[in-house]
Amino acid sequence: MKHLFFTSIFLFCSATTFSQGVPFIKNMYTADPSAHVWADGRLYVYASHDISPPRGCDLMDEYHVFSTDDMVNWTDHGEILRASQVPWGKPLKGDAKFMWAPDCAYKNGKYYFYFPHPSEDPWGSTWKIGIAVSDKPAADFKVLDHPLKGLPDKGEIDPCVFVDTDGKAYFYYGGGGKCFGAKLKNNMIELDGELKPMEGLPDFHEATWVHKRNGIYYLSYSDNHDEGNDREGVKGDNRMRYAVSKNPLGPWEYKGIYMDPTDSYTNHGSIVEYKGQWYAFYHNSVLSQENGAFNDWTRSICFDKLFYNEDGTIRKVVQSSSRLRAGTAKINISPLTLDNNRILHDSLYARSLILQVANTRIAFLTFDLGGYTNPKLLAKLKQDFALDELYFCPSHTHSGATDRNIIDERLTTVLREAAENMFDAAVSGGNRAMQQLTFNRLIPRDDGHAREAWYADPEGHYRYLNKERIPFGPVDPSVGVIRIDEVNGTARALIMNFACHPDALVELRQYISADYVGYATKYTEEAFDNKVNCLFIQGGAGNQCALFKTPTDGTEPENFFDMVGRMGKLLGIEAVALANELFPNPNDISSIKLITDSIDLPNRFDADVAKPHFSTILINDRYAIATFPGEPFIKFQLDWKREIGPYATPFFFGYTWNGGDWPTYVPDVRAAALGGYGADWGPVRAAEGGEALMTRHLKNYYVIKGLMRTTQGPGDHRLDDGSVIWKPDWQK
């Protein structure tokens, strides 16, 4: 399986504090998106058009249609209708154009396009609902010579047509605080019965939209909220509300607000499901801000993912941003009760970091546990917090303790706190060479095979647990840091990336501790006055141990903790020094691009096959992250840095799980041949599996970068003067 998420949006500076959706149409000003999925499998958006420079709401004309099959690449099918083509619409004073919010419906093999337009001056009292018909979804619309039949002499604005699953069609319109609905006749051009007021819609303003989910009808609309008269402490103007019913014509039961104000005075939305995901379409004025001429009446259509709770209510839509947005939090996850005479030496913590650009939203959960996978919780958290991917990153401390009664709740809480406190952010990152604090615990012996550091040679060549601190390799003597700042430069979160088993306290099983990781993160956070959260993410630590592992002068607990404390402080010092040298590149374009992939990893000595998920992530086209679940060996980390280092800043996130199986130990081929725990015995994957996974990472990186061609590349020969003297057959 492979999932590809691409989000790459130009960074801009806004004078407001809104988190605004990212316009997906940038070559013109658009508003009032009406989104539908038709039988050809594409999603179509019918939009009004704001003429620039604006003159208020009286310069809207030339409806366009846009479509997509992947929510990334959009086709502009061009103009389908303009005011001058409406036979019953007379020219208005001052060359005013009032082609406001439209809708479209499909029935009887035809597409019916509904639009409001005044028939004459004064325009405010002569609205009609026009209809244009076509055999195609995005072209050849012909305007009928009469408006929708059955409306009062003074029609209204914002038509909405809903065709139910039984084929019956319903018409709605609303404006000026009123909303009405009625059945449509089968011909789709006249009402079937009287209009009735839609009841149960508090503070209704305009923008009626009806959709159906699980047998329940939803009516959404724009309210009258005005920042100038706000009594709730809400910045901005119109919000989007909704109500539900068991009948398409109500009565409606009000449920709440599903979208906060945008930076535009108005909002107008539609809700649609496409390929298993629900989306909210709406408009804002971001594009005019981006173009240096903010105006409420030069708007831009956007969409964001929409989610439902288990009871069918709609969660508030998170408006995306072309800026990098981030949120972070920290929570204590130490067990509430201790059993088996265990002692809590130092607290265990979970920390969260959410990163979002436009419609791509990912999160990391780090926690001081030996390991933790929970597919049910992962799926729930991804849905609850609108995440494309969520990564569980245990530190792998061997002295942790899981209280199953609290861990799910605490992880949910720490992610929720991050989601509720998002901020405009900037990112920087790097790796720093440092003194060697680790050694490779699989040590080659005289027979060519490797044995573990806890195996002492009978002749005394190597001693138990490497108490002499010999720096066996290979290792990666460096620490990586990704720094997340507010846009004013204040640090809010750090990811510390380092490869080493936190297993120094295995001889003190009664003590609960985060091991050296707890000391390193504590030192780092204190260095920033405890105003940052330091998320520790393991590297390729499958065969890495701490040189500061065992006291040389006894086995008293205080000596063990002195060792891990010293290890943590030394690591923290280097991480802080690196963090203080980092700063965002002002030329960066905010982006998050990722491919989530999977691969079969057979077990080495039995028939078991693991299928782990892993992601290749590229942030700002600069910071390249390879995630690797289970316990990968250090060679994969070294290889990734060597391959990617010349082109981007590389990070290797081992012990990082985002679904699928946990593959336990994954050795490289050389380590598998030499052997030892995790290489040729224990829960170990077969040789070549890790290399295959890393090859896939490398390929996916080049796919993300757009360098992996799907057709043959150029093969012509060119002289110094630019003349081509030979071309291959496929170019002729």
Side-chain angles (χ1 to χ4, degrees), residues 173-189:
Y173 73 89
K178 299 173 293 182
C179 182
F180 289 85
K183 284 184 64 178
L184 275 173
K185 289 186 177 180
N186 193 54
N187 61 21
M188 299 293 283
I189 63 173

Side-chain angles (χ1 to χ4, degrees), residues 22-28 30 66 74-76 287 300-301:
V22 179
F24 62 92
I25 301 301
K26 294 229 177 209
N27 64 321
M28 62 188 297
T30 52
F66 310 93
W74 290 85
T75 299
D76 182 353
L287 187 59
S300 39
I301 54 177

Side-chain angles (χ1 to χ4, degrees), residues 500-573:
C500 181
H501 259 80
D503 61 352
L505 302 173
V506 292
E507 295 189 38
L508 301 174
R509 300 261 182 201
Q510 73 272 29
Y511 287 96
I512 296 172
S513 171
D515 208 282
Y516 78 85
V517 173
Y519 287 91
T521 54
K522 182 175 184 291
Y523 177 88
T524 302
E525 290 175 347
E526 288 177 347
F528 285 88
D529 297 325
N530 289 314
K531 295 179 181 178
V532 304
N533 293 320
C534 182
L535 291 81
F536 182 93
I537 299 183
Q538 273 290 358
N543 55 350
Q544 303 293 290
C545 271
L547 279 172
F548 291 81
K549 181 178 175 65
T550 305
T552 60
D553 53 358
T555 59
E556 300 85 356
E558 59 267 23
N559 290 327
F560 274 84
F561 285 110
D562 282 347
M563 289 291 97
V564 297
R566 181 63 175 157
M567 167 81 174
K569 183 175 181 179
L570 288 171
L571 177 59
I573 289 171

